[in-house]
Amino acid sequence: MSSNKKYWKSVEELNENSSIVETLRNNEFVEAIPTDKFLSDKESLSSSSTTRRDFLKYVGFSTAAASLAACEGPVHKSIPYVLQPEQIIPGVADYYATSMFDGFDFANLLVKTREGRPIKIENNTIVGAKFTANARVHASVLSLYDSMRLKITKIAQKEASWQAADLKIKSSLADAKTKGGQVVLLTNTLASPSTEKLIAEFIANNPTAKHIVYDSVSESAALDAFEYVYGERALVDYDFSKANTIVSIGADFLGDWQGGGFDSGYTKGRVPQAGKMSKHYQFEANMTLSGAAADKRVAMTVANQKLALVRIYNIITGSSVAIGKLANEDVINKAAQQLKAAGSKGLLVSGIQDKNAQLLVLAINQKLASEAFSTIGTRQIRKGSNEKVAQLVADMNAGSVHTLIMSGVNPVYTLANSAAFVAGLKKVKLSVAFSLKEDETAAITNIAVPAPHYLESWNDLMLTKGTYSLTQPTIRPLFSSKQFQEGLLSWNGNAVSYYDYIKANSVGYSNATSWNKAVHDGVIAGTSAGATAGSVDYTAAAAALASATPVKGFELVLYTKIGLGDGQQANNPWLQEFPDPITRVSWDNYVTISKADAEKLELENKIVANGGLNGSYVEVEANGTKMKVPVIIQPGQAIGTLGLALGYGKKAALKEEMQVGVNAYTLYANFNNVQPASIKKADGEHEFACVQSQKTLMGRGDIIKETTLTVFNEKNDDPNVWNPVPVVSLDHKEIEATKVDLWESFDRSVGHHFNLSIDLNACTGCGACVIACHAENNVPVVGKDEIRRSRDMHWLRIDRYYSSEETFSGDNKKKKEFDGLFGDKGSLGGFGDMESPAENPQVVFQPVMCQHCNHAPCETVCPVAATSHSRQGQNHMAYNRCVGTRYCANNCPYKVRRFNWFLYNNNDEFDFHMNDDLGRMVVNPDVNVRSRGVMEKCSMCIQKTQLTILTAKREGREVKADEFQTACSLACSTGAMVFGDINNKSDKISNLVADKRAYHLLESVGTKPNVVYQVKVRNT
């Protein structure tokens, strides 16, 4: 029987009509808690004197207070379809095969769309689709939603219609035909058979017209050499998987050399199979991804690289071309002898921008009969001619160009002599630019036409000769854009659409494949006949190269960074915040200089109190052009050389936050990436956004495990020699740390159990996985200032380690010989010495994300159980439970958790893609956009694993072998990342986890991660 006794706390409560009692009854807090004032913006938050302890007392006594802001969220009305399209099912992704080529990057792709919105780029894996997406291609989906795109046609910088512009262009073309004036189509490399046919028809209709191809980053030397020998203007599509010995002289083939895309073939030979792997020599000035991966890297000036190439030519062909004094002669001779011994399994490549050097490359590979070198299926992705572009500028200034129509180029920004181009442009009667942005060139032309993004366009491509690819739109055009090809059709008097034109033209390339199947697959693999070499005097080319004189002062070596490339996507925040794999610096370009040269010039880099990296400025002068640039002291930079990245320093059509760096194209005289330069120290100190302050491995042998191929083969039966398991003391006995548990384990063999394997031999540090993770998981961009405070939000980072000795094994030897605290071998000073990288260190890349530990230390310290473990091996985060104590981050030995210091979406302080309606179209609706005050980290793409399970369940079948994927494993073109279910013995991951090379990070801690690494093996 319940009690009817009445309890009360004050006499006032006995008065049933009391307004005070009613107020207290309905409001837990008498006064409103001013959380909006305290948490409204980062200024008030950072200036507050409230301590963390007081803050927790302030909001921690009630869950109502902690969730106050969440309860008053904005209301968004959703508008349903009136007539739902049959092809679109809300909540279910659609995938479209397409191919992209923007004149610099190219790939065969699958585009993921949700409710008609492209939200993610993935690789097309169909037979014949050989080119995978790099970091820039993955980020290109965000560039589709760039609010700074040119939205409407402009005539004389005023908005107009395409019809009005079309009439003016036709009138100008007619006037040019009447007066015999020159008409020039200036485009990037097109690689499109239909577009080239349209241009041929245009030239036939306009006899004074000509087509000039302009590549902002030139490969003209290699094109000229190949055309001279084989009669075809193309590039060799090297197959690195067929080479056992690789010698590279100044060619960063794992980067952007000749378009890139060689990494998947290269890594096939870099993972030890049956005791064998390829041998890689790299001779270069700048530290590159290829140099980082090499078994033997030699830092040398470009002048010495030319002599080294001639020496190798002499040894391979038996010639005796005289050369001067040669640096590193013993290593060059050894590389040449091994290359000669390899015969058809040898390959030499070079990035020296000199026709004679490229002729020697052809001669050496011909002599070797290299299987990796083939004239069948040549690359069509670079066709530019330096001579023709220079002649165009001269013709414009002479007043002989009547009409100039440009597409896919921005010469005002990318030409070193852009002032001459601008002067010539004023003498052209009509100038037209088809452009995604109102960039430096489009802003000063008579007519600027908004070009569609490739995800809004139809096109066809022939990236390699004989292979036909299609580009199809995945969304209706967002703006009033007009494709360059549609303009050509109009000027040719052809009334058909470009879609119909491609469809009709495809018959000649489709190998009897139907149009619908071609569109569905995206790629039609074909074959082509190989080119035949003509008679060439290679000895004369070698003699000319050997007589080249070195530059006076410094050699300035211009290059493109993995992040921005040629600068077309400079307004893309994912790419700006992407840390360079080598320097780990984002939001900048800079001069790289060797430590020896930096000391002479009294230049320095230093870590400041907030953890940020600061550096000196220098004034660089080349060919009379001066610029002030910050300095990064780069281990491995050849003495006497400087490095500087192209693609930065843009101003037009960019948000203010993206206007960073200096325009190195102004130093790119005569399209030569090597320029004589002088430098001197300048005033000031630059603030870098660098995500990695550690510079060496510093004896951390349990983090990066590596061995040599010799030891790996000789001790294959005893992997503990090269892959030791750490031991701990238990009952005064040493036992393997992996056999000791602080927690009780349970049976994990029931159901799915996910693991991720990362092969350090196959990882090139390219960063495609980082951008793919951003796209899949709505990772916010925080900007340069927050990066400097070590507040980057990357769920996946790629750590870069240098050796302090010549090799990592030298590091370990030095560490083992420490004896006591003081003296020459004392650990106190010794570990400090190991923080200084060697002049030419070995480099290794290690992707690190949440390790999804089965015994996760983060889970035991969370006071609100926001982070917990699943039977499937994933470490979960319940964002609405997290109160931001950050105990989990403190307790994580891998430092992979990220804290939302501010509200990054819908916040003008972080003016990136998440604060405008257009940019938010890229957001993946399957993943929460996290708010301020919560922890976030890699979820092992739980939304993807659960979708795979549900799809199989709906289809009434078991999950297929290797069907489970994460964003990073899908993006990895080298096979370094493999994801799967270890309980499914058909999955690749099962064998990789059991492999002798497998190990876990910090095994001695006992966290039992579900991410496994493979020991790095070097062929030294």
Side-chain angles (χ1 to χ4, degrees):
M1 183 175 177
S2 61
S3 172
N4 292 322
K5 185 184 293 185
K6 185 172 183 177
Y7 294 91
W8 47 274
K9 297 173 80 175
S10 69
V11 176
E12 189 69 26
E13 289 185 53
L14 298 177
N15 182 357
E16 294 182 357
N17 297 320
S18 172
S19 60
I20 296 175
V21 171
E22 187 65 24
T23 300
L24 291 172
R25 187 175 294 153
N26 294 329
N27 295 280
E28 183 177 356
F29 307 112
V30 179
E31 296 183 6
I33 296 177
T35 52
D36 56 332
K37 295 180 181 179
F38 186 69
L39 301 174
S40 58
D41 55 53
K42 70 177 185 181
E43 281 79 9
S44 61
L45 188 59
S46 59
S47 62
S48 171
S49 60
T50 304
T51 65
R52 184 167 174 272
R53 183 184 296 273
D54 289 340
F55 175 78
L56 288 174
K57 285 192 294 185
Y58 189 62
V59 299
F61 55 82
S62 170
T63 56
S67 59
L68 184 63
C71 293
E72 298 178 358
V75 175
H76 297 281
K77 295 181 180 179
S78 64
I79 303 173
Y81 288 112
V82 178
L83 293 172
Q84 181 180 324
E86 291 183 13
Q87 299 87 349
I88 295 179
I89 302 174
V92 177
D94 291 304
Y95 291 83
Y96 296 90
T98 191
S99 294
M100 78 85 70
F101 179 55
D102 61 7
F104 191 75
D105 292 311
F106 50 94
N108 303 119
L109 308 172
L110 292 178
V111 181
K112 179 182 180 181
T113 67
R114 283 292 301 269
E115 288 75 55
R117 296 178 295 113
I119 63 171
K120 189 169 180 288
I121 300 297
E122 294 182 1
N123 293 319
N124 191 346
T125 57
I126 198 170
V127 175
K130 61 181 296 184
F131 295 118
T132 54
N134 59 22
R136 295 185 296 270
V137 175
H138 278 287
S140 65
V141 68
L142 181 58
S143 295
L144 168 67
Y145 303 115
D146 186 349
S147 60
M148 301 293 284
R149 282 177 58 185
L150 182 59
K151 299 177 178 64
I152 193 168
T153 299
K154 292 188 175 182
I155 300 176
Q157 288 76 51
K158 294 181 180 179
E159 293 187 357
S161 67
W162 158 249
Q163 288 75 16
D166 192 34
L167 286 173
K168 286 184 71 70
I169 296 169
K170 286 178 178 177
S171 175
S172 182
L173 292 173
D175 186 51
K177 185 181 289 188
T178 302
K179 297 178 179 177
Q182 189 179 122
V183 176
V184 176
L185 300 179
L186 179 64
T187 72
N188 56 5
T189 300
L190 297 167
S192 167
S194 291
T195 308
E196 288 168 358
K197 184 180 178 183
L198 273 174
I199 289 174
E201 292 169 356
F202 176 84
I203 293 173
N205 294 332
N206 299 274
T208 61
K210 62 181 179 180
H211 178 212
I212 295 176
V213 180
Y214 168 43
D215 296 325
S216 58
V217 180
S218 175
E219 290 291 349
S220 195
L223 291 164
D224 292 344
F226 192 84
E227 187 175 24
Y228 181 66
V229 176
Y230 293 98
E232 176 189 349
R233 194 163 186 79
L235 297 172
V236 178
D237 189 30
Y238 297 97
D239 187 350
F240 282 79
S241 67
K242 295 180 179 178
N244 291 342
T245 302
I246 301 165
V247 177
S248 170
I249 301 181
D252 182 18
F253 55 85
L254 296 180
D256 293 331
W257 174 77
Q258 295 193 0
F262 299 107
D263 47 355
S264 59
Y266 171 79
T267 52
K268 287 178 183 176
R270 298 298 291 168
V271 177
Q273 300 287 344
K276 295 181 180 180
M277 62 181 287
S278 61
K279 176 83 170 182
H280 175 193
Y281 288 92
Q282 185 81 12
F283 302 90
E284 62 183 11
N286 297 343
M287 175 68 83
T288 66
L289 292 185
S290 302
D295 297 305
K296 180 63 179 178
R297 177 185 183 271
V298 179
M300 60 168 55
T301 63
V302 177
N304 282 330
Q305 291 174 33
K306 293 178 179 179
L307 299 181
L309 182 56
V310 176
R311 170 57 63 86
I312 294 172
Y313 169 78
N314 283 343
I315 293 174
I316 298 295
T317 64
S319 302
S320 55
V321 177
I323 58 173
K325 187 178 180 181
L326 195 61
N328 303 107
E329 187 171 359
D330 55 338
V331 182
I332 294 166
N333 289 340
K334 184 178 179 181
Q337 294 294 349
Q338 291 191 8
L339 189 62
K340 186 175 183 180
S344 64
K345 292 295 183 180
L347 174 64
L348 181 137
V349 293
S350 177
I352 299 172
Q353 294 299 314
D354 184 298
K355 182 179 177 181
N356 292 317
Q358 296 301 325
L359 285 172
L360 294 193
V361 172
L362 301 178
I364 291 169
N365 287 312
Q366 286 174 3
K367 185 67 176 179
L368 293 170
S370 173
E371 295 177 17
F373 173 92
S374 174
T375 60
I376 299 173
T378 52
R379 290 187 170 206
Q380 306 294 305
I381 44 82
R382 297 287 186 273
K383 291 289 185 71
S385 171
N386 297 348
E387 292 179 1
K388 290 181 179 179
V389 173
Q391 186 60 49
L392 170 64
V393 176
D395 290 346
M396 289 167 61
N397 280 282
S400 58
V401 177
H402 183 283
T403 304
L404 176 65
I405 301 175
M406 295 172 282
S407 174
V409 295
N410 183 10
V412 175
Y413 166 66
T414 58
L415 271 179
N417 59 335
S418 65
F421 183 88
V422 172
L425 198 64
K426 294 176 182 177
K427 299 177 181 179
V428 174
K429 287 186 171 56
L430 182 71
S431 57
V432 183
F434 285 77
S435 177
L436 273 171
K437 313 286 282 293
E438 192 172 5
D439 55 29
E440 290 81 354
T441 302
I444 62 172
T445 53
N446 302 129
I447 299 175
V449 182
H453 192 270
Y454 77 92
L455 292 173
E456 302 169 315
S457 312
W458 282 103
N459 205 0
D460 62 358
L461 297 170
M462 190 169 284
L463 302 176
T464 57
K465 195 172 183 180
T467 301
Y468 188 67
S469 306
L470 287 171
T471 300
Q472 66 168 315
T474 57
I475 189 173
R476 290 182 64 86
L478 297 174
F479 308 115
S480 300
S481 55
K482 186 62 65 173
Q483 204 166 341
F484 172 59
Q485 291 86 345
E486 294 177 284
L488 286 170
L489 284 166
S490 175
W491 309 325
N492 290 345
N494 194 333
V496 305
S497 67
Y498 188 48
Y499 167 82
D500 291 328
Y501 188 89
I502 293 173
K503 186 175 181 180
N505 199 40
S506 68
V507 176
Y509 305 99
S510 59
N511 293 336
T513 303
S514 70
W515 170 253
N516 286 346
K517 181 171 174 54
V519 173
H520 174 272
D521 294 350
V523 179
I524 301 172
T527 57
S528 66
T532 304
S535 179
V536 178
D537 184 5
Y538 292 116
T539 304
L545 193 66
S547 62
T549 56
V551 303
K552 294 180 180 179
F554 283 87
E555 285 182 351
L556 175 63
V557 182
L558 302 171
Y559 68 101
T560 54
K561 286 176 71 170
I562 298 299
L564 281 197
D566 65 346
Q568 290 187 54
Q569 296 191 73
N571 205 42
N572 192 310
W574 286 351
L575 294 177
Q576 289 282 8
E577 192 145 300
F578 173 71
D580 181 76
I582 299 293
T583 63
R584 307 293 287 136
V585 173
S586 59
W587 293 99
D588 257 317
N589 67 339
Y590 34 77
V591 162
T592 56
I593 190 171
S594 69
K595 184 179 180 181
D597 289 330
E599 288 176 347
K600 291 178 185 176
L601 294 165
E602 299 181 345
L603 306 174
E604 63 177 355
N605 288 156
K606 60 183 180 182
I607 307 295
V608 293
N610 67 354
L613 176 70
N614 287 8
S616 304
Y617 277 105
V618 292
E619 184 181 82
V620 178
E621 182 175 358
N623 300 310
T625 302
K626 296 180 180 179
M627 62 172 55
K628 187 178 179 181
V629 196
V631 165
I632 287 288
I633 300 172
Q634 177 60 57
Q637 184 79 29
I639 295 174
T641 68
L642 308 169
L644 180 60
L646 302 164
Y648 287 79
K650 284 175 68 71
K651 303 293 183 186
L654 260 69
K655 290 184 179 180
E656 185 178 351
E657 294 84 354
M658 256 66 83
Q659 297 177 21
V660 296
V662 298
N663 183 7
Y665 281 111
T666 59
L667 306 176
Y668 192 34
N670 301 316
F671 300 97
N672 194 337
N673 69 327
V674 182
Q675 299 287 335
S678 62
I679 66 168
K680 62 181 180 180
K681 187 175 182 179
D683 295 334
E685 190 173 76
H686 186 77
E687 295 183 344
F688 290 106
C690 182
V691 299
Q692 179 167 324
S693 59
Q694 68 264 31
K695 302 178 182 66
T696 71
L697 188 67
M698 196 182 155
R700 300 180 179 95
D702 52 348
I703 294 178
I704 297 290
K705 290 187 180 182
E706 72 163 28
T707 187
T708 65
L709 183 62
T710 302
V711 174
F712 177 75
N713 288 333
E714 290 177 353
K715 302 293 183 181
N716 194 260
D717 293 333
D718 186 13
N720 200 53
V721 173
W722 45 267
N723 186 13
V725 178
V727 295
V728 294
S729 177
L730 180 66
D731 296 332
H732 306 289
K733 295 179 183 178
E734 284 191 344
I735 67 168
E736 292 182 352
T738 54
K739 296 179 180 178
V740 180
D741 282 342
L742 294 178
W743 295 269
E744 290 184 8
S745 295
F746 58 86
D747 182 11
R748 302 182 191 277
S749 63
V750 178
H752 305 292
H753 190 88
F754 301 119
N755 269 209
L756 175 67
S757 172
I758 300 174
D759 195 329
L760 300 181
N761 264 53
C763 179
T764 64
C766 71
C769 54
V770 175
I771 302 298
C773 178
H774 265 66
E776 176 67 32
N777 295 296
N778 303 330
V779 176
V781 174
V782 300
K784 183 174 181 178
D785 290 342
E786 292 298 290
I787 293 283
R788 273 186 61 80
R789 293 180 173 88
S790 302
R791 292 176 178 174
D792 65 287
M793 295 299 293
H794 296 103
W795 283 14
L796 165 61
R797 69 176 191 264
I798 302 179
D799 287 337
R800 178 269 298 133
Y801 291 105
Y802 294 141
S803 59
S804 63
E805 302 297 308
E806 188 177 344
T807 63
F808 284 132
S809 57
D811 281 8
N812 292 330
K813 183 175 182 294
K814 182 174 182 177
K815 177 186 174 185
K816 289 176 182 177
E817 291 177 352
F818 285 160
D819 185 10
L821 291 176
F822 305 99
D824 293 338
K825 293 187 177 182
S827 61
L828 200 60
F831 277 116
D833 292 340
M834 291 180 76
E835 287 291 357
S836 298
E839 286 188 5
N840 185 26
Q842 280 190 346
V843 185
V844 70
F845 299 108
Q846 184 177 56
V848 180
M849 67 293 289
C850 175
Q851 302 292 291
H852 295 270
C853 310
N854 288 320
H855 293 166
C858 57
E859 296 168 8
T860 58
V861 295
C862 182
V864 291
T867 182
S868 58
H869 212 70
S870 74
R871 290 194 65 92
Q872 296 177 349
Q874 290 155 307
N875 178 260
H876 294 258
M877 273 299 304
Y879 298 122
N880 60 338
R881 292 186 64 90
C882 179
V883 294
T885 62
R886 293 182 287 150
Y887 298 155
C888 55
N890 293 336
N891 219 36
C892 174
Y894 308 104
K895 302 307 171 192
V896 289
R897 288 176 165 262
R898 301 288 178 258
F899 182 68
N900 290 72
W901 289 92
F902 301 106
L903 185 69
Y904 297 117
N905 61 305
N906 239 345
N907 188 337
D908 290 340
E909 291 294 329
F910 301 93
D911 188 18
F912 306 114
H913 68 288
M914 283 187 173
N915 74 336
D916 65 75
D917 289 338
L918 187 64
R920 278 194 293 271
M921 287 179 72
V922 83
V923 168
N924 182 1
D926 294 332
V927 180
N928 283 350
V929 175
R930 284 75 59 190
S931 188
R932 173 177 48 202
V934 302
M935 272 290 171
E936 59 180 79
K937 52 102 199 162
C938 163
S939 67
M940 212 174 258
C941 288
I942 187 170
Q943 70 280 2
K944 294 179 72 67
T945 56
Q946 294 307 302
L947 176 62
T948 302
I949 293 169
L950 292 172
T951 300
K953 183 178 180 181
R954 186 176 65 251
E955 295 175 359
R957 60 173 176 83
E958 293 184 350
V959 176
K960 301 173 186 175
D962 300 315
E963 188 176 358
F964 287 112
Q965 293 288 353
T966 57
C968 56
S969 66
L970 276 172
C972 185
S973 60
T974 64
M977 290 183 171
V978 177
F979 181 77
D981 177 9
I982 58 173
N983 289 339
N984 183 350
K985 300 307 176 186
S986 299
D987 274 18
K988 293 177 183 176
I989 192 71
S990 298
N991 294 328
L992 290 169
V993 169
D995 191 82
K996 293 179 180 179
R997 288 199 297 134
Y999 76 96
H1000 295 101
L1001 284 193
L1002 304 178
E1003 285 175 314
S1004 57
V1005 179
T1007 54
K1008 297 190 179 299
N1010 283 313
V1011 178
V1012 63
Y1013 292 82
Q1014 308 292 324
V1015 172
K1016 187 172 182 68
V1017 181
R1018 293 187 188 270
N1019 192 357
T1020 56

